Amino acid sequence: MKDSQILSTLDERGRSPVRARRAPLLVFDACQAGVVLRAVLFVEAVAAIGLMFVTGSVVDWLTRVALLTGGALPATLLWLVAVCSLKMPLARLPWAAQAAAGVALGALAGLAACGILAALDFAGPPPWLASACTGALLAAGIVASLRWRARGSTPAATAARLAELQARIRPHFLFNALNSAIALVRDEPDKAESVLEDLADLFRHALTEQEGSSTVGQEIDLARRYLAIEQVRFGKRLRVEWALDERVNAARLPPLILQPLIENAVKHGVEPSPSGAQVRVSTQLRRQMALIKVTNTVPAGQGQAGLGLALQNVRDRLRLLHDLEGGFRTALREGIYQARIEVPMK
């Protein structure tokens, strides 16, 4: 089995029947490690390049960069803490007011940097006006980047959402699930009713707009319902193992991100094998990080390495929600395929 088959190809032409409710655009969501790192590197790069115009040697340049960093770094971090603390109040303002607030805070940060450098006895009289203008200009650049990031995440998340919905309601899945229920109607009506209830819950969740994120506990519950339906269909061929750590249940995940991994484990692990396959879902807390693993056996001679669209879809959605703090990896070794999601506990 090629790896491109293990993760389902998602058709982005799907249409969601539910209209999304627009949430406030969090432009100043600067509390993530990736945002902090990029902002600090941006300010340091601008400062280092600017100093090249007023230095005559590499040693002089390095000395001035080190001294300027003593003021610029604390001021940058101060600005990031300020806008992060005010992200919700700022989100309720018009965009022009948000931008003005960010630039004004940048000017104050520039004055703070100047004050720190003055205390360090930086050469010459303190350039208060120049520092305020520089701080405002750098803040404007970061604000523009944050707004681009916030606006860019919306269509990307929507496209991923539509692809996810299309995968959930594709015809063969609905056909097989309904056939499983129909086969039980006469002989085991109670079990047929249970299958239809699980199917209804899956579709209700898929077609209901989520508030940006779900939790590990909610995603595990949906996975249980989906596997309960498939258990009726495959019987003993589907062997499910759960190893769950309840401490990670509150960790945030993009909605409906776990089910396609489990669905593909069933589709490409159980369906091609006459003897079936084992599917293992596990969660674990490790150093304030939540690990979610979906593991399945793969029929012999199948599962060559590759890259599927759904694989990139999962990775992109995790990056939008957790930036550099989240991670997604897959591996195929000795007939065992594993998809691993890693997100922070916050």
Side-chain angles (χ1 to χ4, degrees):
M1 177 184 302
K2 295 184 177 180
D3 186 54
S4 60
Q5 294 176 313
I6 291 178
L7 291 174
S8 299
T9 300
L10 302 181
D11 183 357
E12 295 187 0
R13 292 176 297 175
R15 294 292 184 267
S16 170
V18 181
R19 178 170 295 181
R21 292 174 293 174
R22 297 191 61 182
L25 191 63
L26 291 180
V27 174
F28 294 101
D29 188 14
C31 309
Q32 302 182 30
V35 175
V36 174
L37 178 61
R38 286 189 285 268
V40 169
L41 290 177
F42 170 68
V43 172
E44 287 294 310
V46 172
I49 293 173
L51 287 173
M52 289 181 179
F53 291 95
V54 295
T55 55
S57 67
V58 174
V59 175
D60 186 27
W61 176 73
L62 290 174
T63 302
R64 287 176 177 268
V65 168
L67 288 173
L68 190 58
T69 298
L73 181 58
T76 303
L77 295 177
L78 179 65
W79 184 87
L80 289 168
V81 170
V83 298
C84 182
S85 302
L86 298 172
K87 65 180 179 180
M88 293 307 297
L90 288 173
R92 292 190 285 267
L93 298 176
W95 160 239
Q98 294 186 50
V103 171
L105 289 172
L108 293 176
L111 292 175
C114 186
I116 294 173
L117 293 174
L120 295 175
D121 197 21
F122 195 67
W128 297 105
L129 180 59
S131 297
C133 292
T134 302
L137 184 61
L138 291 173
I142 298 176
V143 168
S145 175
L146 289 174
R147 186 168 190 253
W148 174 83
R149 176 178 178 272
R151 290 174 63 90
S153 67
T154 302
T158 300
R161 173 71 172 168
L162 293 177
E164 208 79 65
L165 289 173
Q166 181 67 15
R168 301 289 67 72
I169 58 177
R170 63 175 181 262
H172 83 83
F173 165 65
L174 179 59
F175 176 80
N176 290 333
L178 289 176
N179 268 357
S180 298
I182 291 171
L184 296 169
V185 167
R186 289 187 177 180
D187 299 330
E188 300 179 82
D190 292 339
K191 187 176 290 187
E193 182 180 357
S194 177
V195 169
L196 291 175
E197 287 176 353
D198 288 335
L199 182 62
D201 287 338
L202 281 172
F203 275 80
R204 185 181 301 112
H205 188 88
L207 300 176
T208 301
E209 181 64 24
Q210 304 296 310
E211 293 295 335
S213 66
S214 180
T215 66
V216 172
Q218 291 172 332
E219 294 300 304
I220 291 294
D221 183 62
L222 287 174
R224 286 186 184 276
R225 293 181 183 276
Y226 173 76
L227 287 173
I229 294 174
E230 295 293 63
Q231 191 75 67
V232 173
R233 178 183 169 201
F234 291 105
K236 295 181 179 180
R237 290 176 59 199
L238 173 57
R239 300 180 293 277
V240 183
E241 179 183 351
W242 301 91
L244 306 178
D245 187 343
E246 294 185 356
R247 294 176 296 175
V248 306
N249 283 353
R252 294 190 303 151
L253 287 174
L256 294 173
I257 201 170
L258 184 58
Q259 189 192 338
L261 300 180
I262 296 176
E263 181 176 341
N264 280 283
V266 173
K267 177 178 174 58
H268 301 290
V270 180
E271 285 187 4
S273 175
S275 61
Q278 182 176 3
V279 176
R280 187 175 192 270
V281 182
S282 64
T283 60
Q284 180 183 0
L285 178 63
R286 181 184 298 174
R287 300 188 188 92
Q288 295 304 308
M289 298 294 290
L291 304 182
I292 305 98
K293 302 177 185 178
V294 179
T295 308
N296 64 278
T297 54
V298 178
Q302 303 186 47
Q304 298 300 317
L307 180 64
L309 178 60
L311 186 75
Q312 189 62 41
N313 177 272
V314 170
R315 182 175 288 108
D316 289 343
R317 296 183 71 199
L318 282 171
R319 185 180 296 116
L320 290 171
L321 183 62
H322 291 292
D323 204 3
L324 297 181
E325 296 177 282
F328 176 67
R329 292 187 293 173
T330 61
L332 175 62
R333 295 180 182 175
E334 300 179 355
I336 304 295
Y337 184 82
Q338 183 179 97
R340 166 174 159 167
I341 295 174
E342 184 175 354
V343 295
M345 288 293 304
K346 66 175 185 178

